[in-house]
Amino acid sequence: MNNLMQQLINGLALGSIYALIALGYTMVYGIIGMINFAYGEIYMFGAFAGLVLASYNSVNVYMALLGAMLLTMVLGVIIERVAYKPLRRSSRLSALISAIGVSIFLSSLMVRLKGPNTRGFPKLFENKIFVVGSFQITIYQIVIIGVAALLMLGLQLFVAYTKTGRAMRATSQDQDAASLMGVNIDRVVAITFAIGSGLAGAAGVLSGIYFNAVQPYMGLMAGLKAFAAAVLGGIGSIPGAMIGGMVIGLTEILGVTVNLSEYKDAFAFAILIVVLLFKPSGILGRKANKKV
Amino acid sequence: MKRLFNNWFAQALLFLMALGLTAFISEIINNVSSPYLLNIGLFIGINLIMALGLNLITGVTGQLSLGHAAFMSIGAYSSAIATVNYHVPFLLGVLIGGVIAGLFGLIIGFPTLRLTGDYLAIATLGFAEIVRVQFTNMKITNGAIGFLGINGSTTFPIVMTIAVLTIFAMVWLEDSRNGRAMLAVREDEVASSAIGINTTLYKIQAFAIGAFCAGVGGALFAHTTTFIQPTDFGFLKSVDILSIVVLGGLGSIPGTIIGAIVLTAAPEALRSLSNYRMMVYGLLLVVIMIFRPYGLMGGVNLKQAVRRAMMLPRKKQTGRGE
């Protein structure tokens, strides 16, 4: 039982990281219906930005986090302008290939800049272990879960209560109608990419702190799992992405606990396929009507 | 002339001529060319066979699949196990690889093809990851260390012959009743099921045939490199094959041929840029998609192009790409 509690906490920490990346996927999918496969690489860029920032002595964890988020936000907007905007009216497959091209470009760019090796992440603050009752939680886990929860809460409030948030919701309902009502679609899409990329960048820094390892190809698997999380929760739904991320983080950790660590990477996808078969629109997804 | 084109006997003759010509040319190339160039040619052929299979699934039937590398790996491993452990002759091993991959295509097809669009893409992606992890943890595949000691029996003439065979098979298939039903499924699934097309049946057919092609390609790949490991068949391999299909032009067989040539040769041609190679490759994908969003041969109809070149009267067509 104690062990189970312990694994739940570990799973929540890992799940928070997936959930943060998944939010980007789900928001962009909800608004322009494309899969931005480059989010994994943006997450990787965030981790490296955190690494570079953290190597300065005067930088604390919040500055590293904010700096990385700002950088990835700019990166996300640039990517959208250059690689996706010209393709907004063409088939989804072309946009998908373009996104894959971007992700290949970004990871090989990072190999050129920083080399292909795994690097340690400088310590931003001392790790402490708290013992609560019969299980323990590290300060790293508290920071990860706390920052992720704060960011998600902020996002939820932003989407629910601000004017831009309302514009985003309108755009996701019907792009043409929204633009007739005076919503600047280009701006909304740019903001969506900025927010999604910023969250992925934050996830990168958090995972750097947590796993103490950063490398240029880390984005692929994390991106795929986060994407699975977004679909699992119901793509287009923000709370869905959080739930999906948590489910995938928890199953991964629980799988490792029951001695199936070799199959770690397969769990996310196995669950995904099972859920898709029974509820094709995901846990919180809306069922789309088929039109002839 | 028009009658000649539509005559099955003439088509068969054309097919035999093409096959003979290919065998002849590839025999010459096999003896003359440098091993390096030959190897690139070989991989173009292998990629072409696999891409034609994916083109049937994604281009013709409209089912986006991100798991083609899984079928490739199933073909590669099963043929390698057949030839190394059970001493099956090479060509039979290739056939076994194709058939087993095709069977898996069938098995995967039944449950997942109820999904459509992006959900299917994700399910196939998940399937591919599961297959990869499974191969990493199996004894018979030697796990992550990789399967060693496969004989390098794949030769250029064999690959080219199979490639030509696949091209002709695909052309015939697309012209058949089944092919037209598959096209209908791509254009509008709901409408085609409303006029009595069994959409699931044709989707599963496309999946099984596409998986068979991937398996054959994988088997040829295994007998070229003589060494395979699960990481050879990751997500990026599926992406490579999908890029060939999309870049060439979805649903276009000549497009797929051009895509296979361009995207197999491009990383090699970029080798002089060594360190910047993959960066340029990524940019290339983006740039081509921006300037030719429907692929290099998207909307080009080869039959019409040939007719135009031969100054034949234009046949009235009601298909796409007009």
Side-chain angles (χ1 to χ4, degrees), chain A residues 29 82 87 92-94 98 100-101 105 108-109 112 220-221 227 231 262-263 269 272-273 276-277 280 292, chain B residues 64 111 114-115 118-119 122-123 126 129 132-134 137 190 235 239 250 275 278-279 282 286 289-290 293:
Chain A
Y29 193 89
V82 175
L87 290 167
R92 282 206 315 261
L93 263 179
S94 328
S98 184
I100 288 163
F105 173 78
S108 40
L109 177 71
R112 280 305 300 146
L220 184 65
M221 201 24 105
F227 181 53
V231 178
E262 335 51 294
Y263 289 95
F269 301 107
L272 177 75
I273 290 178
L276 281 180
L277 288 180
V292 180
Chain B
L64 176 54
R114 290 195 302 144
L115 304 167
D118 297 328
Y119 293 109
I122 300 145
E129 282 303 315
R132 192 177 58 79
V133 173
Q134 187 57 44
N137 293 306
V190 182
F235 174 60
V239 165
L250 277 172
N275 292 326
M278 286 316 281
M279 276 168 69
V286 176
M289 278 303 114
I290 289 175

Side-chain angles (χ1 to χ4, degrees), chain B:
Chain B
M1 200 69 192
K2 193 178 142 198
R3 281 187 61 132
L4 193 71
F5 265 116
N6 294 335
N7 189 333
W8 67 268
F9 181 71
Q11 282 192 4
L13 214 64
L14 197 69
F15 171 59
L16 286 178
M17 271 162 60
L19 213 59
L21 199 68
T22 317
F24 180 65
I25 293 172
S26 48
E27 202 50 63
I28 294 172
I29 293 173
N30 207 6
N31 293 329
V32 177
S33 207
S34 74
Y36 174 65
L37 285 179
L38 199 67
N39 232 14
I40 297 175
L42 234 146
F43 279 113
I44 289 177
I46 293 174
N47 281 343
L48 174 60
I49 294 166
M50 293 191 293
L52 283 168
L54 186 62
N55 183 48
L56 186 73
I57 300 173
T58 304
V60 178
T61 321
Q63 307 302 309
L64 176 54
S65 164
L66 287 176
H68 216 53
F71 299 120
M72 181 192 175
S73 70
I74 291 170
Y77 271 111
S78 43
S79 74
I81 291 166
T83 50
V84 174
N85 294 4
Y86 299 101
H87 308 290
V88 170
F90 164 63
L91 280 177
L92 187 63
V94 171
L95 191 67
I96 289 174
V99 168
I100 293 183
L103 281 177
F104 268 89
L106 217 59
I107 296 168
I108 300 311
F110 276 108
T112 49
L113 287 185
R114 290 195 302 144
L115 304 167
T116 47
D118 297 328
Y119 293 109
L120 176 69
I122 300 145
T124 49
L125 165 72
F127 161 69
E129 282 303 315
I130 293 169
V131 167
R132 192 177 58 79
V133 173
Q134 187 57 44
F135 277 136
T136 317
N137 293 306
M138 270 162 74
K139 268 228 171 67
I140 198 166
T141 59
N142 210 8
I145 304 154
F147 198 99
L148 269 161
I150 310 163
N151 53 13
S153 316
T154 309
T155 59
F156 190 67
I158 290 179
V159 171
M160 282 306 141
T161 310
I162 297 179
V164 170
L165 228 108
T166 318
I167 293 172
F168 270 82
M170 288 293 166
V171 170
W172 276 335
L173 183 65
E174 277 181 35
D175 244 5
S176 73
R177 189 186 173 84
N178 287 27
R180 287 195 301 273
M182 287 173 186
L183 279 168
V185 172
R186 173 186 76 183
E187 292 304 319
D188 196 324
E189 208 174 319
V190 182
S192 51
S193 86
I195 57 164
I197 292 172
N198 185 345
T199 52
T200 317
L201 176 77
Y202 289 107
K203 287 199 294 191
I204 291 176
Q205 259 181 26
F207 240 75
I209 297 169
F212 176 82
C213 293
V216 168
L220 293 171
F221 173 81
H223 288 86
T224 308
T225 54
T226 70
F227 168 69
I228 45 173
Q229 51 183 352
T231 44
D232 291 342
F233 310 105
F235 174 60
L236 286 178
K237 191 77 203 177
S238 298
V239 165
D240 278 350
I241 308 170
L242 184 66
S243 313
I244 289 175
V245 175
V246 178
L247 183 117
L250 277 172
S252 154
I253 290 173
T256 308
I257 298 170
I258 289 176
I261 295 170
V262 170
L263 281 195
T264 315
E268 297 301 328
L270 296 172
R271 232 172 240 293
S272 54
L273 299 168
S274 62
N275 292 326
Y276 297 94
R277 187 165 73 101
M278 286 316 281
M279 276 168 69
V280 176
Y281 181 70
L283 277 183
L284 200 69
L285 286 183
V286 176
V287 169
I288 294 177
M289 278 303 114
I290 289 175
F291 291 104
R292 298 277 309 169
Y294 297 100
L296 294 173
M297 295 287 282
V300 179
N301 188 325
L302 189 71
K303 261 190 187 167
Q304 276 181 21
V306 171
R307 282 212 175 83
R308 214 170 300 146
M310 291 166 72
M311 311 276 273
L312 291 170
R314 201 180 145 101
K315 194 172 122 192
K316 265 201 187 131
Q317 290 231 354
T318 45
R320 245 167 62 117
E322 306 300 308

